[in-house]
Structures are given as C-alpha cells and as structure tokens.
Amino acid sequence: MRKMMKMARMLLSLLCLVALVYGQPSPDTATMFALRDSLKSEHLNWSDPNPFVWTGLRCDTRSHRVTRIEIGNRGISRTLTCDLRNLSSLAVFDVMGNNLTGKIPSLAGLKSLERVLVNDNSHVRFEIAATGRLKISHDYLLYWLPECKTEDTVVNRGDLKTNRANGFTSIDADFFTGLSSLQFLNLDNNPLRPWKIPYSLTNATSLVVFSAANCNLSGRIPNFHCRITFPNVTTPTLSSNSLVPYPDVHGLTSLKVFNVSGNKLTGIIPESIFKLSSLSYVGLGNNLLQGPKPGLLPEHDRFDRRCVNNFCLDVPGAPCDMRVNALLLTVEGFGFPVVFSESWKGNDPCNGMWIGITCTGADVTVINFKGMGLTGVITPSFVLLKDLMVINLSHKNLTGFIPQELTRLSKLKTLDVSYNQLDGQVPDFRTNVVDTTGNPVPRPIPGSIGPSAGKIVGSVIGGNVSLLLLIGFAIFLCGKITIDGKSES
C-alpha cells in the first residue's frame, strides 16, 4: 500500500512538473502566433494555443524558446511573418519545397542559427515551344536538362517556355548580419529580384555550404581569397545566375564542390583553383570564360568544361597565342567586360573579328576601345604588344593613372585617354603622343617628382641663383663706389 502511495506521489509530482513547464508562456509565443496567422495553412496542425505541441516545432523545455521550425514540403503557401528574428534560440529554419511568396524575412542577429533552407519555393511549368512534348512541374529539375546543345541533345533550354508561379521575391541585405553559427544555407530556385551577394555574408564565419543556384544573383562574386572568415566553406553552388567575372577562390582550402555553371562569368580561370587538394567537382559550363582550356587533373573526380565558353583552343591544357594572352591581360583592368568575351573568339586576334583590334600582318598595331563605356584602370600589360602604334581609351570612366611602362612602346604614336577620370602625373612620352583632355588636373604621383615637377623645381632653383648673383653684383658695385670715394678724398 505504501509502495503504491509513493508511486502515486511521484506521478503527481511529474504531472505537476509537466504542467508547470507547459503552463508557462514562451517568450516566442507572440512570434509563433504571428507566423501561424501569416501562413493560415490547413496543412499545419497549429490550432493548439500552446506552440510547444505544434507539428514541425521543437522547443527547449528550460528556456521555453523555439529551437527548430521544420515545415518543409507541406504545400504551404502565403508569406512569412517579418519578426522571425525575435526567435533568439532558433537553430534550424526549414520551409523548403513549399509555395511561399514575398520577402525572405531577415534573420539577422540569430547567433544560434545553424541551418536555413528556403529553397525550391518556386514551381515552374516548362513546355517545348515546337513540339509541346515535355512538361516539368518543378524548377529544380531544370538541372537535369542539357545546359547546351551537344550531339546527343534532345531538349535545348532555349526552346523552353516557362510559367513561373510563387516563390520568394526578395531578401534583405542584412540577412546574414550576426549569423556567426550559420553552417548550411540553401536559397536555390526562388525568383528573387536581382540581388548581389551582400557584405553581411562575411558575418557567417562558420559557413560550410552556401547554395544560391537559380535565384537571380547578379554582379561580382566576392574574391573569397581575401575573406579569411570562410575557412570551412566546402560547397558554394552559384549556378544559373548572372554573375561576373570569374572569382579567385584559392583561399577556400576546404573547398570540395565549386559550381558556377550557367552564369556570365568572364576572364581567365586561375590555375590556383586546381591546386586545392580537397576539390572533387568544378562546374564551369555555359559561361563566357576565355584563355586556355583547363586540363583535367587526375586528382579531380569531375570537371565540367562543357558548353558555351570561349577558350582559345578546344584542346585542354593547350597554351594560347602570346597575342591572345597579352590582349586578355589588357582588359583585365576593366574587369573582363562581356563585350570582349562575346567577340574575342579563337586563337588569332588578327582574323578581323576581334572588336577593337586592328593588325598589320600578324602584329597588333591598333587598340581602339573608344566610347565602349568601360570602367576600371589601365594596366601595364599593353607593353606586351610591342608593335602598338595607337591606343584609344577615350570617352570612358577609367580611373587611376597612366602606367609608366607604356613609355617603353617605341612605336607608339597616339595614346588617347581623353575624357576619363584619370589623375596622377603623366609619364614622359615623346611629344604629341598622349592626349589627356577632359581628365582631372594631373597631380604628382606620391613619392615621385615627375618631369613637369622637375622642370618647376629647376626653374625655381635657377631663378633663386640668378637673384643671388644680381644681389651680389649690386653689393660689389656699392662697395667699389665707397672705396673709390674714400681714396679720392
């Protein structure tokens, strides 16, 4: 009897503890109610007044805080509430594979957040324009289609008509601020308005997987070799966007997968990427890359070099013509503009098809980039083309100064850099070679005098010497007159 009473007391104590824990209101209750009201989904069993018992949620019984929201692939539509950043203990946020729309709310400041999955909320119907034979219901299947036309291509992406519905449409620039514990992020397949990788991403110092494929990314990919804050990144997936140019990622020493296929990447693939021993897959297809076609190194399991790229030769590892290398280096200072990537094809810049290039025989003699709207700086690489007679870089938005090395071009007759934003000291070219009209007033390069400054200094010194000689001669005459006067008296 005593034993039964003891067990009854223990059970009663346990029930009281449970009642105490579940009876106390959670600090996250208001936010969760706002999320429930925003979604209004019949696919979620969120009718109970206590969020602790809702499906797809996990909470910490001590702090009464929501730690996980996992409601992916449930057919949920509508929008998310904007105050999710109040869930201070949230570690996992998974809403992938639904039909959500609107803004991806900022999660800035959630220091416990480790995983965010908001991918595949955009459903797309594809139809072949000519035959109508193919229907695809979900956007992620796009990656199974050929990225370019090959001999065995049945479906060409360019032949498809799309009807996109749903999907997130925007993301805040401060989304990553304070997310120091974030390890996994997937934004794939959402029709976001054009956006750029924000600087706040540098706050995500624990990031391992960053996947943002087919979500309307544009602009430049940050040079992650300068970002020592990403030592653990293994899988950046940025395919099917509008990114330019090719980034330098040699600092990502843990890199395993690097997929940037289907963008507008330009420039030369740096050899440093193939020195990453951890790398197992590189996806470069369907871009506008130039220079030599990289060879397949034995230690890399897969290397996708297919499709639209403008390598100088089709033979992997074969070097480009020296003139091609030199010209590519000249436009590096302009950020490898797309106009050159689309025009400069093959291994012969003197075939008459390279925009802005004129040759005499096999020698590049004229570079005319006038009025092409280029930005950036003038690199010293022009000096590699020793037969240049004319360089026209006028009417652009170039900054910086004219490299001293260009004075070594012995055949150069015209260097037109008029109507830019160049400053600094103009190098000492031969007479009537350089035209700097319409630029800011030249100033001396820090740490140097320059020819014009030398002339000014010489004039000042010469003037001072002349003045001293004149004063000395006057003193001499006055002295002589005085002495003569005394001797006469």
Side-chain angles (χ1 to χ4, degrees):
M1 187 69 177
R2 290 181 178 178
K3 189 175 181 180
M4 292 181 63
M5 291 181 66
K6 186 177 181 180
M7 291 180 63
R9 290 194 193 99
M10 291 177 60
L11 181 59
L12 181 61
S13 299
L14 181 60
L15 291 174
C16 290
L17 177 63
V18 171
L20 178 65
V21 169
Y22 283 89
Q24 292 184 3
S26 168
D28 297 332
T29 299
T31 301
M32 294 311 302
F33 282 171
L35 178 61
R36 180 191 64 183
D37 296 341
S38 180
L39 295 177
K40 293 182 180 178
S41 176
E42 60 184 15
H43 302 287
L44 294 173
N45 184 17
W46 284 8
S47 58
D48 195 284
N50 184 6
F52 270 41
V53 300
W54 290 0
T55 57
L57 260 64
R58 292 188 186 180
C59 305
D60 183 85
T61 55
R62 293 183 179 180
S63 63
H64 308 288
R65 289 282 189 177
V66 175
T67 58
R68 303 171 74 97
I69 298 177
E70 297 172 293
I71 52 175
N73 299 302
R74 293 176 182 264
I76 303 169
S77 57
R78 299 178 67 88
T79 60
L80 296 172
T81 183
C82 62
D83 53 358
L84 292 176
R85 62 196 304 173
N86 295 332
L87 303 175
S88 60
S89 296
L90 190 64
V92 176
F93 183 64
D94 176 6
V95 293
M96 68 176 182
N98 287 298
N99 303 306
L100 296 171
T101 60
K103 177 187 289 189
I104 300 175
S106 176
L107 302 177
L110 297 184
K111 297 181 179 180
S112 300
L113 193 62
E114 298 176 356
R115 296 173 64 88
V116 175
L117 297 93
V118 295
N119 53 291
D120 298 309
N121 272 277
S122 173
H123 289 194
V124 179
R125 183 180 72 252
F126 289 96
E127 294 180 355
I128 298 296
T131 63
R133 288 164 42 196
L134 179 66
K135 284 189 176 181
I136 298 180
S137 61
H138 204 278
D139 203 26
Y140 69 83
L141 293 177
L142 177 65
Y143 295 105
W144 296 100
L145 295 178
E147 292 187 342
C148 65
K149 191 172 183 178
T150 59
E151 292 182 359
D152 57 350
T153 297
V154 176
V155 178
N156 189 1
R157 184 187 295 179
D159 295 334
L160 298 177
K161 290 183 177 180
T162 65
N163 182 15
R164 186 185 294 270
N166 302 320
F168 291 113
T169 55
S170 64
I171 182 172
D172 286 333
D174 72 339
F175 182 87
F176 303 99
T177 301
L179 302 187
S180 56
S181 299
L182 186 64
Q183 300 176 21
F184 189 100
L185 173 68
N186 195 332
L187 299 165
D188 293 356
N189 306 316
N190 281 296
L192 300 175
R193 289 191 290 270
W195 64 294
K196 298 180 180 180
I197 297 176
Y199 183 78
S200 64
L201 182 63
T202 58
N203 288 189
T205 54
S206 301
L207 198 61
V208 176
V209 175
F210 177 64
S211 191
N214 193 32
C215 61
N216 223 3
L217 263 175
S218 62
R220 301 176 66 90
I221 302 177
N223 279 327
F224 290 114
H225 72 289
C226 297
R227 314 285 190 180
I228 59 175
T229 50
F230 298 121
N232 303 313
V233 169
T234 63
T235 313
T237 302
L238 304 169
S239 56
S240 300
N241 286 295
S242 300
L243 295 167
V244 295
Y246 191 87
D248 191 344
V249 294
H250 78 269
L252 298 180
T253 55
S254 301
L255 199 64
K256 294 180 180 179
V257 174
F258 186 60
N259 188 356
V260 290
S261 60
N263 281 282
K264 295 180 180 178
L265 296 182
T266 59
I268 304 170
I269 301 173
E271 295 182 1
S272 59
I273 191 172
F274 301 107
K275 297 179 181 179
L276 297 173
S277 58
S278 60
L279 197 61
S280 62
Y281 175 77
V282 181
L284 303 175
N286 202 23
N287 281 293
L288 297 170
L289 297 167
Q290 294 176 282
K293 189 174 187 177
L296 179 60
L297 301 183
E299 60 265 29
H300 296 106
D301 298 330
R302 298 175 62 195
F303 177 30
D304 174 16
R305 297 164 299 198
R306 304 169 301 153
C307 311
V308 182
N309 277 304
N310 292 332
F311 299 124
C312 61
L313 295 169
D314 289 332
V315 181
C320 297
D321 186 278
M322 294 296 293
R323 299 166 299 170
V324 173
N325 290 333
L327 286 168
L328 290 177
L329 290 175
T330 64
V331 298
E332 181 180 14
F334 311 141
F336 295 109
V338 171
V339 63
F340 298 119
S341 301
E342 293 176 337
S343 168
W344 291 4
K345 299 179 180 180
N347 202 34
D348 181 10
C350 294
N351 61 9
M353 303 297 292
W354 283 41
I355 188 171
I357 305 301
T358 302
C359 298
T360 301
D363 300 324
V364 177
T365 55
V366 177
I367 292 180
N368 185 3
F369 298 158
K370 177 180 178 180
M372 296 180 68
L374 304 179
T375 59
V377 298
I378 303 173
T379 71
S381 301
F382 286 90
V383 77
L384 299 174
L385 299 163
K386 300 184 181 300
D387 295 291
L388 276 175
M389 300 174 67
V390 176
I391 302 175
N392 192 336
L393 305 176
S394 62
H395 294 82
K396 304 181 186 301
N397 294 300
L398 302 181
T399 57
F401 54 88
I402 303 172
Q404 179 71 32
E405 290 83 354
L406 270 58
T407 60
R408 303 208 303 261
L409 291 170
S410 60
K411 299 181 181 180
L412 190 64
K413 297 180 180 179
T414 300
L415 173 59
D416 189 349
V417 293
S418 59
Y419 301 102
N420 281 286
Q421 298 298 317
L422 299 172
D423 58 9
Q425 183 63 41
V426 178
D428 194 10
F429 288 92
R430 296 185 306 278
T431 305
N432 297 326
V433 169
V434 63
D435 182 0
T436 60
T437 305
N439 285 278
V441 177
R443 55 178 173 76
I445 300 173
S448 66
I449 295 178
S452 299
K455 293 175 183 177
I456 293 172
V457 171
S459 300
V460 172
I461 294 175
N464 288 339
V465 170
S466 300
L467 180 60
L468 289 173
L469 288 174
L470 182 59
I471 294 172
F473 183 66
I475 293 172
F476 170 76
L477 289 177
C478 291
K480 182 172 177 56
I481 293 170
T482 304
I483 293 172
D484 289 345
K486 286 183 180 180
S487 61
E488 288 180 357
S489 61

